[in-house]
Amino acid sequence: MWLYIWLAVTAAALIVEFVTAELVSVWFVGGGLVAMLLAGLGLDWYIHVPAFIVVSFLLMLCFRRLVMKKLNKGEVKTNAETVIGKEYELLTAIGFNQAGSIRINGVVWTAVAEDDNAEIPAGTKVIIEKIEGNKYIVKEK
């Protein structure tokens, strides 16, 4: 009977992991396999239940950080960050301590110069350097 219980636990953990793909239950697969092996050898439940818990916990403790590091190779850019490095036309001039504006995908945004003392006239092509809060930091092309 325990053999089938561990088979069901292992299958359920696999299904949950495939559905979520968040490394939530994959650790229970290893614990379930070890517990299934111990149950198949005819050992009592008070041996394979703790073995399931210990093996699952150890797998999570030892490998979660490593696996997450491999899966998360780089940061996922937000929609706003995809415009960094692209060229746009300045709608209103940027002056000394005065913000200008640019249109990105039909939306007008605040733009400030990378150098606080820079003066960039309207109509100039600028490149977006970075985003700070709700402002795009730009430099003249």
Side-chain angles (χ1 to χ4, degrees):
M1 175 181 89
W2 277 103
L3 184 67
Y4 297 113
I5 291 173
W6 293 120
L7 180 64
V9 167
T10 304
L14 274 173
I15 290 168
V16 168
E17 191 58 42
F18 283 128
V19 170
T20 62
E22 294 291 326
L23 295 177
V24 173
S25 64
V26 71
W27 319 111
F28 300 118
V29 174
L33 291 174
V34 169
M36 195 181 334
L37 175 68
L38 295 175
L41 293 174
L43 297 174
D44 290 325
W45 68 270
Y46 54 84
I47 294 177
H48 46 85
V49 170
F52 168 77
I53 294 168
V54 168
V55 169
S56 298
F57 179 74
L58 286 175
L59 285 172
M60 182 173 56
L61 187 68
C62 294
F63 294 107
R64 180 166 168 71
R65 184 173 289 142
L66 177 69
V67 172
M68 291 302 285
K69 190 184 298 183
K70 293 289 183 190
L71 290 178
N72 294 330
K73 287 280 185 186
E75 292 182 16
V76 177
K77 289 187 174 184
T78 63
N79 285 338
E81 291 172 328
T82 59
V83 300
I84 293 176
K86 293 188 178 174
E87 179 182 314
Y88 292 92
E89 184 175 323
L90 201 57
L91 296 177
T92 59
I94 295 176
F96 177 70
N97 289 331
Q98 179 184 355
S101 59
I102 55 175
R103 180 175 284 122
I104 299 173
N105 299 328
V107 179
V108 177
W109 293 93
T110 302
V112 295
E114 189 174 41
D115 177 16
D116 289 338
N117 296 324
E119 293 193 20
I120 307 171
T124 304
K125 297 288 185 182
V126 293
I127 296 175
I128 298 178
E129 290 291 306
K130 59 186 172 181
I131 303 169
E132 287 183 1
N134 64 347
K135 293 180 268 187
Y136 285 93
I137 311 301
V138 300
K139 71 175 184 179
E140 194 169 352
K141 182 176 175 196

